[in-house]
Amino acid sequence: MDPRVVRELLERVRGSDVSVEEALETLRQLPFRDIGVANVDHHRALRQGTPEVIFGERKTVEQIARITEEMVRSGSNVLVTRVNPEKAAALTLRVPGFRHAVEARTLWLQVTPVPPRGRGPVAVVTAGTSDIDVAEEAVETLLAVGLEPARFYDIGVAGIHRLLHRLDDLRKAAAVIVVAGMEGALPSVVGGIVSAPIVAVPTSVGYGTALGGFTALFAMLTSCASGVVVVNIDSGFGAAMAVHRILKD
Amino acid sequence: MDPRVVRELLERVRGSDVSVEEALETLRQLPFRDIGVANVDHHRALRQGTPEVIFGERKTVEQIARITEEMVRSGSNVLVTRVNPEKAAALTLRVPGFRHAVEARTLWLQVTPVPPRGRGPVAVVTAGTSDIDVAEEAVETLLAVGLEPARFYDIGVAGIHRLLHRLDDLRKAAAVIVVAGMEGALPSVVGGIVSAPIVAVPTSVGYGTALGGFTALFAMLTSCASGVVVVNIDSGFGAAMAVHRILKD
Amino acid sequence: MDPRVVRELLERVRGSDVSVEEALETLRQLPFRDIGVANVDHHRALRQGTPEVIFGERKTVEQIARITEEMVRSGSNVLVTRVNPEKAAALTLRVPGFRHAVEARTLWLQVTPVPPRGRGPVAVVTAGTSDIDVAEEAVETLLAVGLEPARFYDIGVAGIHRLLHRLDDLRKAAAVIVVAGMEGALPSVVGGIVSAPIVAVPTSVGYGTALGGFTALFAMLTSCASGVVVVNIDSGFGAAMAVHRILKD
Amino acid sequence: MDPRVVRELLERVRGSDVSVEEALETLRQLPFRDIGVANVDHHRALRQGTPEVIFGERKTVEQIARITEEMVRSGSNVLVTRVNPEKAAALTLRVPGFRHAVEARTLWLQVTPVPPRGRGPVAVVTAGTSDIDVAEEAVETLLAVGLEPARFYDIGVAGIHRLLHRLDDLRKAAAVIVVAGMEGALPSVVGGIVSAPIVAVPTSVGYGTALGGFTALFAMLTSCASGVVVVNIDSGFGAAMAVHRILKD
Amino acid sequence: MDPRVVRELLERVRGSDVSVEEALETLRQLPFRDIGVANVDHHRALRQGTPEVIFGERKTVEQIARITEEMVRSGSNVLVTRVNPEKAAALTLRVPGFRHAVEARTLWLQVTPVPPRGRGPVAVVTAGTSDIDVAEEAVETLLAVGLEPARFYDIGVAGIHRLLHRLDDLRKAAAVIVVAGMEGALPSVVGGIVSAPIVAVPTSVGYGTALGGFTALFAMLTSCASGVVVVNIDSGFGAAMAVHRILKD
Amino acid sequence: MDPRVVRELLERVRGSDVSVEEALETLRQLPFRDIGVANVDHHRALRQGTPEVIFGERKTVEQIARITEEMVRSGSNVLVTRVNPEKAAALTLRVPGFRHAVEARTLWLQVTPVPPRGRGPVAVVTAGTSDIDVAEEAVETLLAVGLEPARFYDIGVAGIHRLLHRLDDLRKAAAVIVVAGMEGALPSVVGGIVSAPIVAVPTSVGYGTALGGFTALFAMLTSCASGVVVVNIDSGFGAAMAVHRILKD
Amino acid sequence: MDPRVVRELLERVRGSDVSVEEALETLRQLPFRDIGVANVDHHRALRQGTPEVIFGERKTVEQIARITEEMVRSGSNVLVTRVNPEKAAALTLRVPGFRHAVEARTLWLQVTPVPPRGRGPVAVVTAGTSDIDVAEEAVETLLAVGLEPARFYDIGVAGIHRLLHRLDDLRKAAAVIVVAGMEGALPSVVGGIVSAPIVAVPTSVGYGTALGGFTALFAMLTSCASGVVVVNIDSGFGAAMAVHRILKD
Amino acid sequence: MDPRVVRELLERVRGSDVSVEEALETLRQLPFRDIGVANVDHHRALRQGTPEVIFGERKTVEQIARITEEMVRSGSNVLVTRVNPEKAAALTLRVPGFRHAVEARTLWLQVTPVPPRGRGPVAVVTAGTSDIDVAEEAVETLLAVGLEPARFYDIGVAGIHRLLHRLDDLRKAAAVIVVAGMEGALPSVVGGIVSAPIVAVPTSVGYGTALGGFTALFAMLTSCASGVVVVNIDSGFGAAMAVHRILKD
């Protein structure tokens, strides 16, 4: 419950600027506030500058277009994730202003400037080149919430020198997102050499015993480096949102 | 590589206070510094006030005692996790100063004060009473790294009012650790109502389709609340160490 | 064995109205009647007003059309489930009277009025918008057996206020079908706030650790809310038939 | 939000009987009352005659005894599930009045009469003799909520005549709980011959490919008899609570 | 329905030797016959010479003793499977006449001679020495149903010459039971060199990727030798009963 | 080692009819003959009247055609399994004489009469109509090896009377192949009422918890009816070949 | 740390040939050189005659072409694995000199002669004809690293004589790659009769319980023949690279 | 077939020193030679200096003692693996000469000197201290076959500097055995920096998502470092035997 809004309303009731029935209706329309859920909506994107997010995989072009238009009308930026090239093409034609990040498979429509958060860069690290699309989804999401991504791609553990070579830069990051498929070993190594928060993203890269990402997932969860946390397979978006929570203030 | 240490050494070589062979030996003994890994050790506990951690489950009383004694000699605080009551009893007899947290199954030996971090409280939430031992492991670890835990126990989703009742307090937390077994639904609900970082810990509580914690694990990873991150099953320690990274500075 | 039937037969044997051989033959022909198998068939839909159901997924247009025509000839209503758009289009051309419920992927042909059951509404709840097709299959099946569905869509646990907002209406339901994918947490929350029978339907919505619906399935089975029951993944039909049994009389 | 409560408050604000700050505070405190959470607790056992249930498996004798005593003080009957013989012996000594159902592994303490529900009997069916302990847990739970169990034990499908022999009696049941391990085939057969609600309970009986109950669980969920619902492995308690919901009024 | 029995009854009714009520009662008592299930019981062991079988694993000494005594009273031989040494010792004291096959973990009590079936020997083959207990369960069961076992132990595929050396003898068998754990390769090889029926029994021998017998089970089911059939893990009894069906007459 | 062959050779060495080197070479060349591998090939189809079998799923039209032509040249009948409609059409054009069994997905080319085996009929039973293609593969294979199939389709356990109605006919079978998907319960019921050999074939019919046939597979392996044996999922061919071994004579 | 390098540096510091700051910087820059990472790259293919390898499955024609051209420019031979026919056709047009091995699904471009290693032949054995594509990937990789493959195809265990017949040739191999799907039994048998290093490759050949290659994988890992090692499912490339390590010098 | 032995025998037959019947008997007793399997037995340990190996886990003290005594009589060295402390104590009392390697859980009895193989050292690397028992089993097996182990313990990837520090020594190894549990990342890193053969051994160290060693196993098999091969979980013995094959000559 946002005290200022309700106090103002109550004062207008007392001053008879607003009838009891009107005030009742207003409160009724604010349903979530009276159980104190205003922050929820806050968190879920109604503020200026924080984007609305649409999970595009199971939605039609028409559905995404309509939701986007409504959101834009209310002043929100819009991020659409998991759109394939066909949908993306149709949507950029249909909704003016969409920017398509091809590798990230995202669409971005900005109607309000995104204020920079003023936190250090967020390192986005991948083990191989095949993990880059998931990493780019993280990058686009970070940009959408005002964070500054720094890419460190293809520095997997089978050539450990590639990682060590970037160590100084990695250590400057405010948080690190580590994206890796196959055996998912990279977060353990990174966890041992940087002390920032580390969010690991397993990817479905690999075949056979890679188990569609589950081997990397389990490897990351059972990592011998302490304090590494994990999100769902291929969820670059989830990792970026976790960093969004971590670097909130 | 800690520049101050090496610079001082080099200057002593130049000033002939130290022979080349001695300096070589010294550098050889600092092996990790010359690839810049000093921070790693830093991170892994050699600083005053940060504890050394011993995973006690597979170690004997004798092994734990000896490692502890060495660490204490070097001025480190020591946290031992996963010690059963028998080992704990033997160790408190053997090593003076051990404090046994029974539910957490940890031992704690403090030789140096742990400076408080000055960050807000870390909420430790459990779904049920059976999740408390895992939660207490997180609590003890938080204390060991200078963070302030705040307990919110037994507020699972089957009685949603219990959770809503604690909402105001939950929202004051700098980070939230959510511990839940069975269907692992609590992090999704908490994720929807607080905006702080959320680290979810699945527990092996439940039988049959609880799958020894895997159902909760998978549920948490596929949570509909964005930005929730997950650690290994029953790993209260891992969750606290993740928060340790998150609230570092 | 129905004693009245057999007693009458035996009396006619004694009275020589029926020869031993005839009686023997009659007894031999009895088996299903005297184990009450007529009722079985009753149950399996031959009564007026209860539909015949055809599982359409593996059947050809031709097969479905022919079975439907036979059933219509015997006066049965017909419900076809799991028909894709192509089959549905072909069948509505081929068999006059079919009504196609697009989202539910069902076809319905009514030749006999379905008498309303006179029980309260059956709440059909979904966690997200992606669960709606499964929910609609339940809705269409409920209508086909004379029950009154009430839709409560997209009120998942990550925005708990959406659910609490509909609480009064939910509590009026005679039974509740809860449809949820991903972490499958909704039935636990609903189970804690309504006392009606709850049938949970896991859906295959989600990716990675959603495991094609198995995470939701296991979460629902290990639910911390007691008395929640579960049907197969994506089986809106199964849930509605369970409610059909529950609200029989 | 209950409109009457809020309207009255607003009128008192307008009439200056209540200050704006006081009204704000009152609205802030409302949440649980106006979402009717009292009912939730109602449902969770505070009414006279409905038992409190304690899941005994992970609790100590001391914990169970103390919780029981508190509950008894507030006038509740108490059902403890999953107590092994040692705990049961200790608790019957410690808490006067406990009745131990050995096969069910339950303790029952009745301080208030349980009013019979006046619904027909609830058939509790098992496939084999090894399933009886799970069935008895269902029986004890049914008794505790005022329902009348009728036992049909050891009538599994490998001797189908045993089942058919009991058909008339089975068909008189208001609901049927079917308990089966190994291949879990019994609910499919029962589902084909009775039209009452059927709650299937898979048991962990069997070895090798019985998979500790998962084969029976999956078999029951994919049953070819429509409208069969399922609860967790070995959960006689869960099945009885489901019937409790089904036969509520 | 056995026509002779019923015809005779009907004739006695007609001749008034038996009243209608008596006949009705008699028919009621014959339940299984009138659906023709008499053979079932026949098949399930009531004939002279075929043993009753008691699965001993989950039964107490008292239960096994009482069931045995009843069976012996009705003239049946009794085979008890899966009895551990303690139960076996207690039962041989308690029930006179029990013969304990230690490796097979069976008890055998013969009150009626078992007529030999006059079929060729049944080869019981094992891959290693650790599979012998399962093989011996098969051997004891074969003896109990009048078949003649021939042991071929420890002739696994890693020393293929051991198998080839016994080829002539193997080819004389009327049926072959192949017992193997670990990679379960033996049935494929045997299936390629003998043309008799082959029943494969996977055992839980091995560790790690042996998966408690599932690797052997799956390997046997996907065998490249055609016509190999499989029973449950460690089920020497099941294999012998399959051969009992195969060599019936 | 065939003693007669070697004795003769040795006598010829002694009599100097054969030089030591020649004898050595002969012994070296013997291996397959003296371990009777000719029989192996015999078993694998070189005899007149037994078909060669080609697993068609992974082979091209060209490959199948060429292998067929070679086999026909050597006088063998040819059975091709798992051919999709396109391949079947191409092959019937390419190779004269192929008969295509559409539901069974087999091709059959007979160049030599298949002598009837003179054993009783082999019952091929299915639980549902979706299992028929697998059953027909069994039927075609039985015909190809000279056995007489008898179809009993769609008599699953959810309408147990359908099975009981066919009992007399089922009991006349020399062996029974039971084909069932979903919960795979039918072999348990059939196993309880017939005493002939029973080969169970799990099918991949069903969705969700049917697990692509694994639930049926595990259910059949853990069947409460003793002596039921199982082959790979969807392997109608494998079941028929098992019966081929069983009824060899 | 290479002592000679550091000693020299220290001596130059002492002699004031190098300033402390310069020495500090040098030490800071050393890490990869003094851990010999040049060798790593050596190992990863920069030497003349060892090919660069491109995993083609997830790369576009354009990407593969560009990487190839760069590699060729630096004098490397190039092996592309997992290219489907369409990509292969496009690449052979685009990049002159590519040789396409159709079954192996590889492309090979040789700009530098591959010196033969002068080790004995490497036997590449398959159980069936469906395993040949994986075997051919191994063959092409062996050729690319200068080893001499010897093919032994279709000698699986169901016709053990086929294997025994090739025994003398098999025993001449310097190493053996055994490729098998389905039950994966072949490495156990081969392991028992040859003493050379054996690398087993499970293939995804088979259906149902073949589990897409996991049954073969687990069977090979739990092989009763000691010293057999295993690579990922379908990884002919991985097996050849393992032999490349084994026969290095 | 060993030509010398048979040639000599044939010459004695020709010279009438041996009768045909005697020669026949002799050949019969050499069964494996005439299919050329003599080498198998050779390989399986009858040569001087190569040990017989007894898998001790499922054998009794009596069984192990007797097998050992027989082997010693025939001049073989004996290695017993997987003996728990109780068995080891009993056996060292019972059989004189046994040396017990406590951590390796092996017993070793040497009656013949083991000639050193003259190959470079075999590095045995572990990720953590909990992997040492598996590593020691490898060490003891290497010693038993005349190879020289070099221990590199506790150099896991979370402190990558520990590994880099030992790089020069690692690179001198003729082969590397890498033992790791939890996420199993170490072989990937080692594979990137040494070019020798690498045999990876997953261990069951870890809890929850470590899956008893399967996560490490799958991670190793899907390793991004090429040419790494894998043995069964916890099989230090298997890894050493693989190296025994690799370094044979």
Side-chain angles (χ1 to χ4, degrees), chain A residues 156-161 164 182-186 188-193 205-207 209-211 214-215 217-226, chain H residues 156-161 164 182-186 188-193 205-207 209-211 214-215 217-226:
Chain A
V157 299
I160 198 72
H161 57 292
L164 298 175
M182 299 171 83
E183 80 271 61
L186 191 52
S188 292
V189 178
V190 174
I193 54 188
V205 169
Y207 59 92
T209 55
L211 290 175
F214 277 87
T215 292
L217 170 67
F218 291 148
M220 289 164 171
L221 284 165
T222 191
S223 169
C224 51
S226 67
Chain H
V157 300
I160 197 73
H161 56 291
L164 298 174
M182 299 172 84
E183 80 272 60
L186 191 52
S188 293
V189 178
V190 174
I193 53 187
V205 169
Y207 59 93
T209 55
L211 290 174
F214 278 88
T215 292
L217 170 68
F218 291 149
M220 289 164 173
L221 283 165
T222 191
S223 170
C224 52
S226 66

Side-chain angles (χ1 to χ4, degrees), chain E residues 158 183 185 188 192 209 215 218-219 224, chain G residues 158 183 185 188 192 209 215 218-219 221 224:
Chain E
E183 80 271 61
S188 293
T209 55
T215 292
F218 291 150
C224 53
Chain G
E183 80 271 62
S188 293
T209 55
T215 293
F218 291 149
L221 283 163
C224 52

Side-chain angles (χ1 to χ4, degrees), chain F residues 153-181:
Chain F
Y153 288 173
D154 194 22
I155 57 172
V157 300
I160 197 72
H161 57 293
R162 295 178 299 179
L163 172 63
L164 298 176
H165 192 50
R166 305 297 303 277
L167 208 51
D168 284 351
D169 292 330
L170 264 178
R171 289 197 174 139
K172 288 171 189 149
V176 184
I177 292 172
V178 186
V179 183

Side-chain angles (χ1 to χ4, degrees), chain B residues 7-53:
Chain B
R7 180 181 294 116
E8 191 190 315
L9 181 68
L10 291 171
E11 280 166 355
R12 296 181 67 196
V13 169
R14 162 158 294 187
S16 296
D17 293 354
V18 165
S19 74
V20 163
E21 283 314 307
E22 279 169 341
L24 185 59
E25 198 51 38
T26 302
L27 285 169
R28 209 196 279 271
Q29 309 259 326
L30 295 173
F32 314 145
R33 272 183 221 145
D34 73 348
I35 57 162
V37 191
N39 279 348
V40 174
D41 286 344
H42 233 237
H43 152 69
R44 284 175 71 85
L46 296 175
R47 279 186 311 212
Q48 284 300 95
T50 307
E52 286 282 354
V53 180

Side-chain angles (χ1 to χ4, degrees), chain G residues 195-210:
Chain G
S195 62
I198 295 177
V199 180
V201 190
T203 69
S204 51
V205 169
Y207 59 93
T209 55

Side-chain angles (χ1 to χ4, degrees), chain A residues 2 14 25 49 53 58 61 81 108 127 155 157 162 164-165 181 196 204 210 221 233 248:
Chain A
D2 179 340
R14 161 156 294 186
E25 197 52 37
V53 180
R58 288 180 161 240
V61 167
T81 62
W108 170 241
I155 56 170
V157 299
R162 296 178 298 179
L164 298 175
H165 193 51
S204 51
L221 284 165
I233 294 165
K248 201 120 212 186

Side-chain angles (χ1 to χ4, degrees), chain G residues 83-153:
Chain G
V83 276
N84 60 33
E86 292 71 32
K87 278 190 200 173
L91 280 161
T92 45
L93 285 176
R94 168 75 198 271
V95 182
F98 259 138
R99 184 173 65 73
H100 181 209
V102 180
E103 278 191 300
R105 292 160 303 156
T106 56
L107 287 167
W108 169 241
L109 198 164
Q110 184 168 331
V111 295
T112 314
V114 182
R117 300 273 272 278
R119 304 291 304 251
V122 178
V124 181
V125 181
T126 77
T129 54
S130 304
D131 304 312
I132 289 176
D133 51 358
V134 173
E136 284 295 310
E137 190 186 77
V139 161
E140 292 295 315
T141 307
L142 290 170
L143 290 169
V145 298
L147 289 165
E148 172 202 346
R151 293 174 177 86
F152 297 75
Y153 288 175

